Amino acid sequence: MPQPVDKELVPPVVASTWRELAPQYTVREIFSTKREEVQQKAATIITRKLDADGIVVEEVMLSDIQLPEEYAKGWKGSCSRSRKTIRWAW
């Protein structure tokens, strides 16, 4: 098993899991409407993969997501429009 595990084994498993899951969802779903679902699916896959090497996963969190600049701009604009719509609705 590669050592140290937290630097050599875990990051590639986590990265490959996100690459597998992310294309199945829109940015909005990952960040809001299906965030819990994405996190749970990722936890299941990561736990299964690492369990094969005897590593116990206690928690998988969806945080510090870095989007390519073009997506980040679109996401910020979309959120801004959503807030304006909600504000006008009240």
Side-chain angles (χ1 to χ4, degrees), residues 4-19 46 50:
V5 172
D6 64 329
K7 302 247 188 289
E8 297 294 324
L9 186 63
V10 174
V13 168
V14 171
S16 70
T17 299
W18 289 118
R19 281 192 303 272
I46 291 167
L50 292 176

Side-chain angles (χ1 to χ4, degrees), residues 57-74:
V57 176
E58 293 180 1
E59 182 179 26
V60 173
M61 295 174 49
L62 181 58
S63 63
D64 292 331
I65 299 170
Q66 297 177 2
L67 295 172
E69 189 175 330
E70 61 199 46
Y71 288 108
K73 286 179 184 176

Side-chain angles (χ1 to χ4, degrees), residues 5-35:
V5 172
D6 64 329
K7 302 247 188 289
E8 297 294 324
L9 186 63
V10 174
V13 168
V14 171
S16 70
T17 299
W18 289 118
R19 281 192 303 272
E20 178 183 328
L21 282 176
Q24 299 174 29
Y25 298 91
T26 65
V27 173
R28 178 178 298 279
E29 289 172 334
I30 291 171
F31 278 92
S32 61
T33 61
K34 294 193 177 183
R35 185 182 184 99

